[in-house]
Amino acid sequence: MATLAAATDEGAAMLLSTLPDLGGRAFEVRGMVIAQGAFGAIGGGSTQQLVASLIEQAGRFGADGIVDVKTMIGGNAAHCVMTGTAVKLL
């Protein structure tokens, strides 16, 4: 389980959680966010770039949080896919 707050480029906080709910906090689902990269390839990206992409996408939905964040890594080039659900806290 992990929940943290990350700062966006605009200085606002974005809640990130691997949990599908927020323990009593209500939220409205805004959309799904996804980022991918190949860590073993030149210019394939980094974890920080993938998280930044998720946050940027969620911001476009008007969200202030991302719940149910999942990470899958596999293959020879360490291909990584991250997904989450963009939410607006109520």
PDB file of all heavy atoms in Angstrom, residues 5-41:
ATOM      1  N   ALA A   5       1.666  12.373  -1.918  1.00  0.00           N
ATOM      2  CA  ALA A   5       1.279  13.583  -2.649  1.00  0.00           C
ATOM      3  C   ALA A   5       2.483  14.037  -3.459  1.00  0.00           C
ATOM      4  O   ALA A   5       3.606  14.059  -2.961  1.00  0.00           O
ATOM      5  CB  ALA A   5       0.848  14.686  -1.694  1.00  0.00           C
ATOM      6  N   ALA A   6       2.253  14.338  -4.713  1.00  0.00           N
ATOM      7  CA  ALA A   6       3.319  14.818  -5.592  1.00  0.00           C
ATOM      8  C   ALA A   6       2.966  16.215  -6.068  1.00  0.00           C
ATOM      9  O   ALA A   6       1.802  16.530  -6.268  1.00  0.00           O
ATOM     10  CB  ALA A   6       3.473  13.875  -6.788  1.00  0.00           C
ATOM     11  N   ALA A   7       3.972  17.038  -6.244  1.00  0.00           N
ATOM     12  CA  ALA A   7       3.741  18.401  -6.725  1.00  0.00           C
ATOM     13  C   ALA A   7       3.685  18.414  -8.244  1.00  0.00           C
ATOM     14  O   ALA A   7       4.444  17.723  -8.903  1.00  0.00           O
ATOM     15  CB  ALA A   7       4.848  19.322  -6.235  1.00  0.00           C
ATOM     16  N   THR A   8       2.781  19.182  -8.792  1.00  0.00           N
ATOM     17  CA  THR A   8       2.696  19.359 -10.234  1.00  0.00           C
ATOM     18  C   THR A   8       3.565  20.543 -10.640  1.00  0.00           C
ATOM     19  O   THR A   8       4.075  21.275  -9.791  1.00  0.00           O
ATOM     20  CB  THR A   8       1.240  19.613 -10.676  1.00  0.00           C
ATOM     21  OG1 THR A   8       0.805  20.852 -10.110  1.00  0.00           O
ATOM     22  CG2 THR A   8       0.317  18.496 -10.219  1.00  0.00           C
ATOM     23  N   ASP A   9       3.742  20.741 -11.932  1.00  0.00           N
ATOM     24  CA  ASP A   9       4.532  21.870 -12.418  1.00  0.00           C
ATOM     25  C   ASP A   9       3.946  23.197 -11.961  1.00  0.00           C
ATOM     26  O   ASP A   9       4.655  24.177 -11.792  1.00  0.00           O
ATOM     27  CB  ASP A   9       4.616  21.856 -13.946  1.00  0.00           C
ATOM     28  CG  ASP A   9       5.497  20.733 -14.464  1.00  0.00           C
ATOM     29  OD1 ASP A   9       6.327  20.218 -13.679  1.00  0.00           O
ATOM     30  OD2 ASP A   9       5.348  20.372 -15.638  1.00  0.00           O
ATOM     31  N   GLU A  10       2.625  23.226 -11.770  1.00  0.00           N
ATOM     32  CA  GLU A  10       1.962  24.460 -11.348  1.00  0.00           C
ATOM     33  C   GLU A  10       2.048  24.658  -9.835  1.00  0.00           C
ATOM     34  O   GLU A  10       1.554  25.639  -9.306  1.00  0.00           O
ATOM     35  CB  GLU A  10       0.484  24.447 -11.770  1.00  0.00           C
ATOM     36  CG  GLU A  10       0.271  24.431 -13.269  1.00  0.00           C
ATOM     37  CD  GLU A  10       0.423  23.032 -13.865  1.00  0.00           C
ATOM     38  OE1 GLU A  10       0.144  22.040 -13.174  1.00  0.00           O
ATOM     39  OE2 GLU A  10       0.854  22.944 -15.017  1.00  0.00           O
ATOM     40  N   GLY A  11       2.652  23.696  -9.120  1.00  0.00           N
ATOM     41  CA  GLY A  11       2.798  23.820  -7.677  1.00  0.00           C
ATOM     42  C   GLY A  11       1.658  23.211  -6.884  1.00  0.00           C
ATOM     43  O   GLY A  11       1.701  23.169  -5.669  1.00  0.00           O
ATOM     44  N   ALA A  12       0.614  22.720  -7.544  1.00  0.00           N
ATOM     45  CA  ALA A  12      -0.502  22.092  -6.852  1.00  0.00           C
ATOM     46  C   ALA A  12      -0.112  20.670  -6.452  1.00  0.00           C
ATOM     47  O   ALA A  12       0.780  20.072  -7.035  1.00  0.00           O
ATOM     48  CB  ALA A  12      -1.731  22.065  -7.759  1.00  0.00           C
ATOM     49  N   ALA A  13      -0.787  20.136  -5.467  1.00  0.00           N
ATOM     50  CA  ALA A  13      -0.530  18.769  -5.028  1.00  0.00           C
ATOM     51  C   ALA A  13      -1.442  17.801  -5.765  1.00  0.00           C
ATOM     52  O   ALA A  13      -2.595  18.110  -6.052  1.00  0.00           O
ATOM     53  CB  ALA A  13      -0.749  18.653  -3.531  1.00  0.00           C
ATOM     54  N   MET A  14      -0.905  16.634  -6.086  1.00  0.00           N
ATOM     55  CA  MET A  14      -1.671  15.573  -6.727  1.00  0.00           C
ATOM     56  C   MET A  14      -1.521  14.337  -5.846  1.00  0.00           C
ATOM     57  O   MET A  14      -0.403  13.883  -5.600  1.00  0.00           O
ATOM     58  CB  MET A  14      -1.142  15.293  -8.135  1.00  0.00           C
ATOM     59  CG  MET A  14      -1.797  14.161  -8.875  1.00  0.00           C
ATOM     60  SD  MET A  14      -3.475  14.468  -9.486  1.00  0.00           S
ATOM     61  CE  MET A  14      -3.206  15.748 -10.700  1.00  0.00           C
ATOM     62  N   LEU A  15      -2.613  13.805  -5.341  1.00  0.00           N
ATOM     63  CA  LEU A  15      -2.598  12.614  -4.511  1.00  0.00           C
ATOM     64  C   LEU A  15      -2.418  11.386  -5.400  1.00  0.00           C
ATOM     65  O   LEU A  15      -3.116  11.243  -6.402  1.00  0.00           O
ATOM     66  CB  LEU A  15      -3.917  12.501  -3.739  1.00  0.00           C
ATOM     67  CG  LEU A  15      -4.065  11.272  -2.869  1.00  0.00           C
ATOM     68  CD1 LEU A  15      -3.227  11.445  -1.614  1.00  0.00           C
ATOM     69  CD2 LEU A  15      -5.509  11.037  -2.524  1.00  0.00           C
ATOM     70  N   LEU A  16      -1.474  10.501  -5.046  1.00  0.00           N
ATOM     71  CA  LEU A  16      -1.254   9.253  -5.767  1.00  0.00           C
ATOM     72  C   LEU A  16      -1.416   8.104  -4.786  1.00  0.00           C
ATOM     73  O   LEU A  16      -0.848   8.142  -3.694  1.00  0.00           O
ATOM     74  CB  LEU A  16       0.148   9.197  -6.372  1.00  0.00           C
ATOM     75  CG  LEU A  16       0.514  10.281  -7.368  1.00  0.00           C
ATOM     76  CD1 LEU A  16       1.994  10.218  -7.712  1.00  0.00           C
ATOM     77  CD2 LEU A  16      -0.303  10.127  -8.624  1.00  0.00           C
ATOM     78  N   SER A  17      -2.185   7.071  -5.169  1.00  0.00           N
ATOM     79  CA  SER A  17      -2.398   5.936  -4.279  1.00  0.00           C
ATOM     80  C   SER A  17      -2.471   4.643  -5.071  1.00  0.00           C
ATOM     81  O   SER A  17      -3.087   4.597  -6.136  1.00  0.00           O
ATOM     82  CB  SER A  17      -3.693   6.123  -3.483  1.00  0.00           C
ATOM     83  OG  SER A  17      -3.933   4.986  -2.665  1.00  0.00           O
ATOM     84  N   THR A  18      -1.868   3.580  -4.532  1.00  0.00           N
ATOM     85  CA  THR A  18      -1.991   2.266  -5.146  1.00  0.00           C
ATOM     86  C   THR A  18      -3.299   1.590  -4.749  1.00  0.00           C
ATOM     87  O   THR A  18      -3.656   0.567  -5.305  1.00  0.00           O
ATOM     88  CB  THR A  18      -0.813   1.354  -4.747  1.00  0.00           C
ATOM     89  OG1 THR A  18      -0.778   1.223  -3.333  1.00  0.00           O
ATOM     90  CG2 THR A  18       0.504   1.907  -5.266  1.00  0.00           C
ATOM     91  N   LEU A  19      -4.010   2.172  -3.802  1.00  0.00           N
ATOM     92  CA  LEU A  19      -5.281   1.605  -3.333  1.00  0.00           C
ATOM     93  C   LEU A  19      -6.432   2.033  -4.241  1.00  0.00           C
ATOM     94  O   LEU A  19      -6.438   3.152  -4.753  1.00  0.00           O
ATOM     95  CB  LEU A  19      -5.572   2.066  -1.908  1.00  0.00           C
ATOM     96  CG  LEU A  19      -4.533   1.681  -0.860  1.00  0.00           C
ATOM     97  CD1 LEU A  19      -4.868   2.332   0.473  1.00  0.00           C
ATOM     98  CD2 LEU A  19      -4.459   0.180  -0.731  1.00  0.00           C
ATOM     99  N   PRO A  20      -7.442   1.160  -4.420  1.00  0.00           N
ATOM    100  CA  PRO A  20      -8.588   1.526  -5.254  1.00  0.00           C
ATOM    101  C   PRO A  20      -9.561   2.485  -4.571  1.00  0.00           C
ATOM    102  O   PRO A  20     -10.421   3.066  -5.222  1.00  0.00           O
ATOM    103  CB  PRO A  20      -9.256   0.186  -5.553  1.00  0.00           C
ATOM    104  CG  PRO A  20      -8.844  -0.700  -4.439  1.00  0.00           C
ATOM    105  CD  PRO A  20      -7.479  -0.230  -4.003  1.00  0.00           C
ATOM    106  N   ASP A  21      -9.438   2.664  -3.251  1.00  0.00           N
ATOM    107  CA  ASP A  21     -10.267   3.640  -2.537  1.00  0.00           C
ATOM    108  C   ASP A  21      -9.378   4.400  -1.557  1.00  0.00           C
ATOM    109  O   ASP A  21      -8.216   4.078  -1.401  1.00  0.00           O
ATOM    110  CB  ASP A  21     -11.449   2.972  -1.822  1.00  0.00           C
ATOM    111  CG  ASP A  21     -11.011   1.965  -0.769  1.00  0.00           C
ATOM    112  OD1 ASP A  21     -10.009   2.217  -0.077  1.00  0.00           O
ATOM    113  OD2 ASP A  21     -11.666   0.923  -0.641  1.00  0.00           O
ATOM    114  N   LEU A  22      -9.950   5.401  -0.924  1.00  0.00           N
ATOM    115  CA  LEU A  22      -9.143   6.262  -0.054  1.00  0.00           C
ATOM    116  C   LEU A  22      -9.634   6.262   1.386  1.00  0.00           C
ATOM    117  O   LEU A  22      -9.628   7.288   2.054  1.00  0.00           O
ATOM    118  CB  LEU A  22      -9.123   7.690  -0.609  1.00  0.00           C
ATOM    119  CG  LEU A  22      -8.461   7.844  -1.970  1.00  0.00           C
ATOM    120  CD1 LEU A  22      -8.640   9.257  -2.492  1.00  0.00           C
ATOM    121  CD2 LEU A  22      -6.992   7.471  -1.900  1.00  0.00           C
ATOM    122  N   GLY A  23     -10.088   5.139   1.871  1.00  0.00           N
ATOM    123  CA  GLY A  23     -10.452   5.000   3.281  1.00  0.00           C
ATOM    124  C   GLY A  23     -11.419   6.035   3.797  1.00  0.00           C
ATOM    125  O   GLY A  23     -11.077   6.799   4.682  1.00  0.00           O
ATOM    126  N   GLY A  24     -12.613   6.064   3.248  1.00  0.00           N
ATOM    127  CA  GLY A  24     -13.632   6.988   3.718  1.00  0.00           C
ATOM    128  C   GLY A  24     -13.725   8.289   2.952  1.00  0.00           C
ATOM    129  O   GLY A  24     -14.649   9.057   3.154  1.00  0.00           O
ATOM    130  N   ARG A  25     -12.765   8.584   2.099  1.00  0.00           N
ATOM    131  CA  ARG A  25     -12.820   9.797   1.276  1.00  0.00           C
ATOM    132  C   ARG A  25     -13.635   9.517   0.025  1.00  0.00           C
ATOM    133  O   ARG A  25     -13.415   8.533  -0.666  1.00  0.00           O
ATOM    134  CB  ARG A  25     -11.423  10.245   0.839  1.00  0.00           C
ATOM    135  CG  ARG A  25     -10.503  10.716   1.929  1.00  0.00           C
ATOM    136  CD  ARG A  25     -10.861  12.080   2.494  1.00  0.00           C
ATOM    137  NE  ARG A  25     -11.046  13.127   1.530  1.00  0.00           N
ATOM    138  CZ  ARG A  25     -10.144  14.049   1.225  1.00  0.00           C
ATOM    139  NH1 ARG A  25      -8.974  14.038   1.789  1.00  0.00           N
ATOM    140  NH2 ARG A  25     -10.440  14.988   0.358  1.00  0.00           N
ATOM    141  N   ALA A  26     -14.569  10.393  -0.273  1.00  0.00           N
ATOM    142  CA  ALA A  26     -15.381  10.257  -1.483  1.00  0.00           C
ATOM    143  C   ALA A  26     -14.678  10.951  -2.647  1.00  0.00           C
ATOM    144  O   ALA A  26     -13.973  11.944  -2.460  1.00  0.00           O
ATOM    145  CB  ALA A  26     -16.751  10.874  -1.259  1.00  0.00           C
ATOM    146  N   PHE A  27     -14.854  10.399  -3.841  1.00  0.00           N
ATOM    147  CA  PHE A  27     -14.278  11.020  -5.029  1.00  0.00           C
ATOM    148  C   PHE A  27     -15.123  10.715  -6.246  1.00  0.00           C
ATOM    149  O   PHE A  27     -15.917   9.787  -6.253  1.00  0.00           O
ATOM    150  CB  PHE A  27     -12.828  10.586  -5.259  1.00  0.00           C
ATOM    151  CG  PHE A  27     -12.611   9.095  -5.348  1.00  0.00           C
ATOM    152  CD1 PHE A  27     -12.865   8.404  -6.525  1.00  0.00           C
ATOM    153  CD2 PHE A  27     -12.134   8.385  -4.251  1.00  0.00           C
ATOM    154  CE1 PHE A  27     -12.652   7.039  -6.615  1.00  0.00           C
ATOM    155  CE2 PHE A  27     -11.917   7.021  -4.333  1.00  0.00           C
ATOM    156  CZ  PHE A  27     -12.173   6.348  -5.518  1.00  0.00           C
ATOM    157  N   GLU A  28     -14.944  11.538  -7.253  1.00  0.00           N
ATOM    158  CA  GLU A  28     -15.623  11.372  -8.532  1.00  0.00           C
ATOM    159  C   GLU A  28     -14.579  10.923  -9.555  1.00  0.00           C
ATOM    160  O   GLU A  28     -13.527  11.538  -9.680  1.00  0.00           O
ATOM    161  CB  GLU A  28     -16.204  12.729  -8.945  1.00  0.00           C
ATOM    162  CG  GLU A  28     -16.812  12.778 -10.318  1.00  0.00           C
ATOM    163  CD  GLU A  28     -17.244  14.203 -10.636  1.00  0.00           C
ATOM    164  OE1 GLU A  28     -18.312  14.627 -10.145  1.00  0.00           O
ATOM    165  OE2 GLU A  28     -16.496  14.899 -11.345  1.00  0.00           O
ATOM    166  N   VAL A  29     -14.876   9.831 -10.269  1.00  0.00           N
ATOM    167  CA  VAL A  29     -13.948   9.332 -11.282  1.00  0.00           C
ATOM    168  C   VAL A  29     -13.977  10.259 -12.485  1.00  0.00           C
ATOM    169  O   VAL A  29     -15.037  10.595 -13.001  1.00  0.00           O
ATOM    170  CB  VAL A  29     -14.308   7.888 -11.699  1.00  0.00           C
ATOM    171  CG1 VAL A  29     -13.453   7.441 -12.878  1.00  0.00           C
ATOM    172  CG2 VAL A  29     -14.149   6.940 -10.520  1.00  0.00           C
ATOM    173  N   ARG A  30     -12.786  10.681 -12.945  1.00  0.00           N
ATOM    174  CA  ARG A  30     -12.665  11.588 -14.085  1.00  0.00           C
ATOM    175  C   ARG A  30     -12.159  10.885 -15.341  1.00  0.00           C
ATOM    176  O   ARG A  30     -12.435  11.309 -16.442  1.00  0.00           O
ATOM    177  CB  ARG A  30     -11.726  12.744 -13.747  1.00  0.00           C
ATOM    178  CG  ARG A  30     -12.260  13.683 -12.685  1.00  0.00           C
ATOM    179  CD  ARG A  30     -13.513  14.378 -13.198  1.00  0.00           C
ATOM    180  NE  ARG A  30     -14.110  15.288 -12.263  1.00  0.00           N
ATOM    181  CZ  ARG A  30     -13.969  16.604 -12.310  1.00  0.00           C
ATOM    182  NH1 ARG A  30     -13.220  17.167 -13.222  1.00  0.00           N
ATOM    183  NH2 ARG A  30     -14.575  17.347 -11.422  1.00  0.00           N
ATOM    184  N   GLY A  31     -11.372   9.807 -15.204  1.00  0.00           N
ATOM    185  CA  GLY A  31     -10.864   9.099 -16.374  1.00  0.00           C
ATOM    186  C   GLY A  31      -9.695   8.205 -16.023  1.00  0.00           C
ATOM    187  O   GLY A  31      -9.234   8.172 -14.885  1.00  0.00           O
ATOM    188  N   MET A  32      -9.211   7.470 -17.012  1.00  0.00           N
ATOM    189  CA  MET A  32      -8.068   6.581 -16.840  1.00  0.00           C
ATOM    190  C   MET A  32      -6.826   7.239 -17.419  1.00  0.00           C
ATOM    191  O   MET A  32      -6.882   7.887 -18.462  1.00  0.00           O
ATOM    192  CB  MET A  32      -8.326   5.255 -17.545  1.00  0.00           C
ATOM    193  CG  MET A  32      -7.242   4.249 -17.354  1.00  0.00           C
ATOM    194  SD  MET A  32      -7.731   2.671 -18.052  1.00  0.00           S
ATOM    195  CE  MET A  32      -6.317   1.713 -17.618  1.00  0.00           C
ATOM    196  N   VAL A  33      -5.701   7.062 -16.722  1.00  0.00           N
ATOM    197  CA  VAL A  33      -4.427   7.595 -17.197  1.00  0.00           C
ATOM    198  C   VAL A  33      -3.464   6.437 -17.419  1.00  0.00           C
ATOM    199  O   VAL A  33      -3.528   5.421 -16.730  1.00  0.00           O
ATOM    200  CB  VAL A  33      -3.840   8.632 -16.210  1.00  0.00           C
ATOM    201  CG1 VAL A  33      -4.702   9.881 -16.168  1.00  0.00           C
ATOM    202  CG2 VAL A  33      -3.704   8.057 -14.804  1.00  0.00           C
ATOM    203  N   ILE A  34      -2.598   6.568 -18.420  1.00  0.00           N
ATOM    204  CA  ILE A  34      -1.660   5.501 -18.763  1.00  0.00           C
ATOM    205  C   ILE A  34      -0.358   6.108 -19.276  1.00  0.00           C
ATOM    206  O   ILE A  34      -0.374   7.130 -19.966  1.00  0.00           O
ATOM    207  CB  ILE A  34      -2.267   4.531 -19.803  1.00  0.00           C
ATOM    208  CG1 ILE A  34      -1.326   3.362 -20.081  1.00  0.00           C
ATOM    209  CG2 ILE A  34      -2.624   5.253 -21.089  1.00  0.00           C
ATOM    210  CD1 ILE A  34      -1.965   2.226 -20.844  1.00  0.00           C
ATOM    211  N   ALA A  35       0.754   5.483 -18.901  1.00  0.00           N
ATOM    212  CA  ALA A  35       2.076   5.914 -19.389  1.00  0.00           C
ATOM    213  C   ALA A  35       2.907   4.661 -19.616  1.00  0.00           C
ATOM    214  O   ALA A  35       2.728   3.658 -18.933  1.00  0.00           O
ATOM    215  CB  ALA A  35       2.753   6.823 -18.366  1.00  0.00           C
ATOM    216  N   GLN A  36       3.808   4.730 -20.593  1.00  0.00           N
ATOM    217  CA  GLN A  36       4.651   3.574 -20.870  1.00  0.00           C
ATOM    218  C   GLN A  36       6.044   4.005 -21.292  1.00  0.00           C
ATOM    219  O   GLN A  36       6.251   5.105 -21.788  1.00  0.00           O
ATOM    220  CB  GLN A  36       4.026   2.701 -21.940  1.00  0.00           C
ATOM    221  CG  GLN A  36       3.850   3.380 -23.285  1.00  0.00           C
ATOM    222  CD  GLN A  36       3.188   2.449 -24.295  1.00  0.00           C
ATOM    223  OE1 GLN A  36       3.159   1.242 -24.107  1.00  0.00           O
ATOM    224  NE2 GLN A  36       2.660   3.019 -25.349  1.00  0.00           N
ATOM    225  N   GLY A  37       7.012   3.117 -21.080  1.00  0.00           N
ATOM    226  CA  GLY A  37       8.386   3.362 -21.475  1.00  0.00           C
ATOM    227  C   GLY A  37       9.165   2.060 -21.459  1.00  0.00           C
ATOM    228  O   GLY A  37       8.711   1.065 -20.909  1.00  0.00           O
ATOM    229  N   ALA A  38      10.338   2.064 -22.050  1.00  0.00           N
ATOM    230  CA  ALA A  38      11.223   0.901 -22.069  1.00  0.00           C
ATOM    231  C   ALA A  38      12.510   1.293 -21.350  1.00  0.00           C
ATOM    232  O   ALA A  38      13.377   1.930 -21.937  1.00  0.00           O
ATOM    233  CB  ALA A  38      11.496   0.458 -23.493  1.00  0.00           C
ATOM    234  N   PHE A  39      12.623   0.931 -20.089  1.00  0.00           N
ATOM    235  CA  PHE A  39      13.753   1.366 -19.271  1.00  0.00           C
ATOM    236  C   PHE A  39      15.088   0.851 -19.788  1.00  0.00           C
ATOM    237  O   PHE A  39      16.116   1.468 -19.585  1.00  0.00           O
ATOM    238  CB  PHE A  39      13.575   0.930 -17.824  1.00  0.00           C
ATOM    239  CG  PHE A  39      12.394   1.557 -17.141  1.00  0.00           C
ATOM    240  CD1 PHE A  39      11.746   0.895 -16.128  1.00  0.00           C
ATOM    241  CD2 PHE A  39      11.921   2.806 -17.520  1.00  0.00           C
ATOM    242  CE1 PHE A  39      10.660   1.464 -15.485  1.00  0.00           C
ATOM    243  CE2 PHE A  39      10.837   3.381 -16.884  1.00  0.00           C
ATOM    244  CZ  PHE A  39      10.207   2.701 -15.860  1.00  0.00           C
ATOM    245  N   GLY A  40      15.101  -0.298 -20.469  1.00  0.00           N
ATOM    246  CA  GLY A  40      16.343  -0.865 -20.971  1.00  0.00           C
ATOM    247  C   GLY A  40      16.768  -0.309 -22.316  1.00  0.00           C
ATOM    248  O   GLY A  40      17.798  -0.689 -22.848  1.00  0.00           O
ATOM    249  N   ALA A  41      15.982   0.593 -22.893  1.00  0.00           N
ATOM    250  CA  ALA A  41      16.295   1.152 -24.207  1.00  0.00           C
ATOM    251  C   ALA A  41      16.836   2.577 -24.063  1.00  0.00           C
ATOM    252  O   ALA A  41      16.477   3.293 -23.132  1.00  0.00           O
ATOM    253  CB  ALA A  41      15.043   1.178 -25.080  1.00  0.00           C
TER     254      ALA A  41
END
